[in-house]
DNA sequence: TCGTTTTCGCCAAACGTTTGCGCAACGTAG
DNA sequence: CTACGTTGCGCAAACGTTTGGCGAAAACGA
């Protein structure tokens, strides 16, 4: 019975540590688990210190397979996103990853591509890996059988980015964001507006448009149905929808609220192709305030959502769920970043003299 | 001794399957491992079929902790990236993830932020998780002690995105990409050019600029040293460096090769702030051809790198390394996507009549 | 001095899987 | 009918960890 690492072979294990510290492997285990409740049951202060010193000296790292096998906890949380190449999702993920690590967990992300088959496959993979819980970034508004199945299977989870039903969720207060956008455009005097509302199954686009439309209706300028179009959450989707919008008979709207910055960039392109100059004779408001928004040739006014914080907060909520607590959905407040795509408009400027100052960043 | 899943508790295990199929657990194990060599030593065709039927019926999924403990292989590969919110890296990662899954592996990504401490922490985390191998996306050109330590510790790995030394790597042929950019600008008649070369520790920027500079030198127009600036690989970096470039005395260059699209977008902004119109009196070439490049108000000419394929190819190489084969570095060919940021230029148009046609996409 | 409590640390079983070994039973050749 | 190779499958040990139980020693009160 040789010891790993002592004979130069393989990694050190608990046995190695125990032998070097002259204690039993179980004692070593207790000394190295930081949980204070079990710590009371453990060894003397001296022994603990000695074991810990040995452990760090020989670079012992607990084998998660052994531990996971015994405890059936992996300290892994699965994250299901609709797309990782979307900076919104990858920023949320960064928030999750960072905070999870601080809390002793690790985030394991998979890509569901917002497609039924792939979502299921990705989910099964995560469960097969025995994640302790899930953060779902691609929930669907109605009849999301994947989310339902999690409930049925008693898998702990938290929704983020999009919410659904009254499941635990951390999202941006998208309705309020829509209100912000509407108030901004109303202040600038726009009464003839349109909305690119995103995919109908995503709560994000749905609520953003709802807040926007409600505010306009309350101001006495209800947005007509043909001026509310669905679109994909990417550049191409925004371009296609805007092209369709501008092809409608009658004069084009003086402002468009696009529920996603990428789609807004597509809208800008389509508007330009149609001979319109953004910030000059058409105003555009995006959503999320991704880093590139401020850097566009005509900087884009956008409703900023706290993506990073959403991620961080969702892992915190998940840990509460894992601890058996019941948690309520949370909505984080958005803010408006007004820029030239609305405020520099000569058209709108003479409609309403008060112009929002551009924030420093 | 009750069986999991039969009494409604917990997940089914191999024991459950074996009991239901009326065989020993070891037989069940053999029947469910698809490896043909061991398959020969396994059970009869009938028995195997029966076991497999039972397994799928009750939804058995091998517990990776148990298996990993026994085999000390996790079928997990770690991916270390400098930043996941960068679409270049996330696209590479998507390529890795997709192909890895096809090959029976799973990719586990972590963020090193291109910062020494974080890289090390992320690496140790991956190794603590017992990944079978690593794909490193943030290698540094000189004295990368992290990569060196992998060699010393005999951890199988493959570099991607950036290469270093003659370690196994899958990258874009960045030198060739620089040549492409130079040839394009030379054809358009630009003789007075500048380069934003990225971070000095990244092979990508280094080689792209080298290929570019060598081509210009060979054409009799060497790029002067003060016209080659380093910059971060993001919008802000490009803006800062371009502002510095344009603050130099003398006339501004007629074209700038920026080794990264995000930085190129920053360069566009800085140029605009300096009163220059891109594609009109200054030409800009980016690198990577990220999706947004084609959608900018002035579509950006960019050297397209096969990001997705790079990812897919690197996991293939890693599996070869894991199999004990020795593999040579690979460089995938870039292509040029010429667009209005160079070709619509009225300045350059009269310098050189032949204008590259804009590709369909 | 002796009982009683507390502290410290060992023992052993268990988690779910893989795999070398060995033993029947069967078929085939001599 | 014996000898032998092959096929099919069970046995048991191991992988590294955690944790309930328990005994020995130390601390304490009377």
């Amino acid at each position: 019975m040789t010891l790993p690492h002592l004979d130069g072979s393989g990694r050190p294990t608990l046995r190695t540590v125990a032998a070097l510290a002259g204690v039993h492997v179980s004692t070593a285990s207790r000394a190295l688990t930081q949980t204070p409740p079990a710590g009371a049951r453990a060894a003397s202060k001296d022994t603990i210190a000695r074991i810990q010193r040995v452990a760090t000296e020989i670079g012992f790292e607990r084998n998660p397979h052994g531990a996971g096998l015994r405890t059936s906890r992996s300290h892994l949380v699965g994250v299901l996103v609709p797309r990782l190449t979307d900076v919104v999702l990858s920023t949320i993920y960064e928030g999750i990853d960072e905070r999870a690590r601080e809390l002793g967990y690790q985030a394991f992300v998979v890509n569901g591509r917002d497609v039924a088959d792939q979502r299921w496959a990705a989910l099964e993979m995560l469960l097969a890996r025995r994640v302790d819980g899930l953060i779902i970034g691609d929930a669907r508004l109605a009849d999301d059988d994947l989310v339902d199945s999690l409930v049925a299977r008693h898998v702990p989870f938290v929704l983020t980015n999009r919410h659904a039903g009254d499941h635990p969720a951390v999202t941006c207060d998208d309705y309020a964001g829509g209100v912000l956008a509407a108030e901004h455009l109303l202040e600038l005097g726009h009464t003839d507006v349109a909305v690119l509302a995103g995919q109908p199954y995503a709560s994000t686009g749905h609520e953003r448009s709802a807040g926007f439309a409600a505010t306009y209706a309350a101001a006495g300028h209800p947005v007509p149905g043909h001026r509310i179009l669905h679109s994909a959450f990417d550049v191409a989707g925004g371009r296609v929808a805007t092209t369709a919008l501008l092809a409608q008979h009658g004069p084009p709207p003086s402002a468009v609220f696009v529920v996603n910055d990428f789609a807004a960039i597509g809208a800008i392109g389509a508007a330009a192709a149609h001979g319109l100059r953004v910030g000059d004779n058409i105003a555009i408001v995006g959503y999320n305030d991704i880093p590139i928004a401020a850097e566009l040739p005509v900087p884009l006014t956008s409703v900023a959502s706290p993506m990073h914080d959403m991620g961080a907060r969702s892992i915190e909520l998940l840990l509460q769920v894992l601890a058996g607590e019941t948690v309520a959905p949370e909505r984080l407040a958005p803010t408006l970043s007004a820029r030239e795509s609305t405020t520099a408009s000569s058209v709108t400027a003479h409609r309403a003299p008060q112009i929002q100052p551009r924030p420093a960043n």
Side-chain angles (χ1 to χ4, degrees), chain A residues 237-269:
Chain A
R239 184 164 14 83
V240 168
T242 305
T243 304
L245 175 69
L246 297 178
Q248 291 176 358
H249 47 68
S254 74
V256 184
F257 173 44
V258 189
V259 301
N260 175 284
D261 280 347
F262 290 105
I265 290 171
I268 292 171

Side-chain angles (χ1 to χ4, degrees), chain A residues 48-359:
Chain A
I48 292 186
R50 180 163 37 98
I51 294 173
Q52 287 178 338
R53 188 164 37 75
V54 169
T56 58
E57 237 166 44
I58 67 174
F60 166 77
E61 299 211 70
R62 165 182 291 100
N63 183 324
H65 294 129
L69 187 55
R70 174 61 219 247
T71 62
S72 61
R73 305 200 110 230
S74 58
H75 278 239
L76 228 42
V77 305
V79 180
L80 181 55
V81 297
R83 190 148 286 277
L84 209 52
T85 47
D86 182 331
V87 72
V88 176
L89 274 310
S90 59
T91 304
I92 292 177
Y93 174 70
E94 275 196 356
I96 295 174
D97 182 55
E98 217 173 290
R99 189 85 186 95
R101 198 117 49 156
E102 291 170 7
L103 297 170
Y105 279 75
Q106 269 141 34
F108 194 168
V109 67
V110 292
N111 194 338
R113 291 155 201 275
D114 229 344
V115 172
D117 289 359
Q118 310 249 11
R119 293 178 77 211
W120 278 102
L123 172 71
E124 292 302 337
M125 191 274 265
L126 288 174
L127 294 179
R129 279 278 169 202
R130 304 302 196 266
V131 295
D132 291 340
L134 289 169
I135 297 180
I136 308 291
D138 65 349
R140 287 170 178 240
L141 213 41
D143 301 323
D144 190 335
D145 49 356
L146 185 140
V147 171
D148 294 344
S149 89
L150 294 180
V151 178
R153 295 206 248 179
H154 303 105
V155 180
F157 71 96
V158 163
L159 308 183
T160 192
N161 181 41
R162 305 180 189 163
H163 66 81
D166 49 2
H167 299 299
V170 180
T171 56
C172 177
D173 189 339
D174 289 314
Y175 191 94
V179 172
L180 279 182
E183 288 174 348
H184 177 63
L185 291 178
L186 279 169
E187 263 181 49
L188 295 173
H190 293 279
T191 54
D192 188 14
V193 300
V195 178
L196 297 201
Q199 302 283 22
Y201 52 75
S203 71
T204 46
H206 187 262
E207 305 223 330
R208 289 165 196 173
S209 348
F212 185 89
T215 306
Y216 257 87
H221 306 289
V223 184
H226 69 279
R227 283 269 161 93
I228 302 181
L229 282 74
H230 288 289
S231 71
F233 290 116
D234 58 14
V235 177
R239 184 164 14 83
V240 168
T242 305
T243 304
L245 175 69
L246 297 178
Q248 291 176 358
H249 47 68
S254 74
V256 184
F257 173 44
V258 189
V259 301
N260 175 284
D261 280 347
F262 290 105
I265 290 171
I268 292 171
H274 202 261
L276 298 170
R277 286 184 313 281
V278 172
D280 201 1
N281 40 29
I282 189 165
I284 292 191
V285 179
Y287 205 107
N288 281 330
D289 197 12
I290 62 177
I292 213 177
E295 305 287 346
L296 293 173
V298 179
L300 177 66
T301 294
S302 187
V303 179
S305 59
M307 303 176 282
H308 195 274
D309 290 350
M310 279 167 49
R313 191 72 191 116
S314 36
I315 176 71
E316 290 173 1
L317 244 65
L318 180 60
L319 293 197
Q320 290 185 26
V321 173
L322 285 176
E325 307 172 29
T326 56
V327 301
E330 289 190 10
R331 321 221 154 175
L332 276 48
T335 56
L336 183 78
S337 299
R339 301 199 182 91
E340 282 81 345
S341 76
T342 52
T343 59
S345 162
S346 55
V347 169
T348 58
H350 68 74
R351 287 189 189 173
Q354 71 276 38
I355 290 184
Q356 300 279 96
R358 183 181 173 199

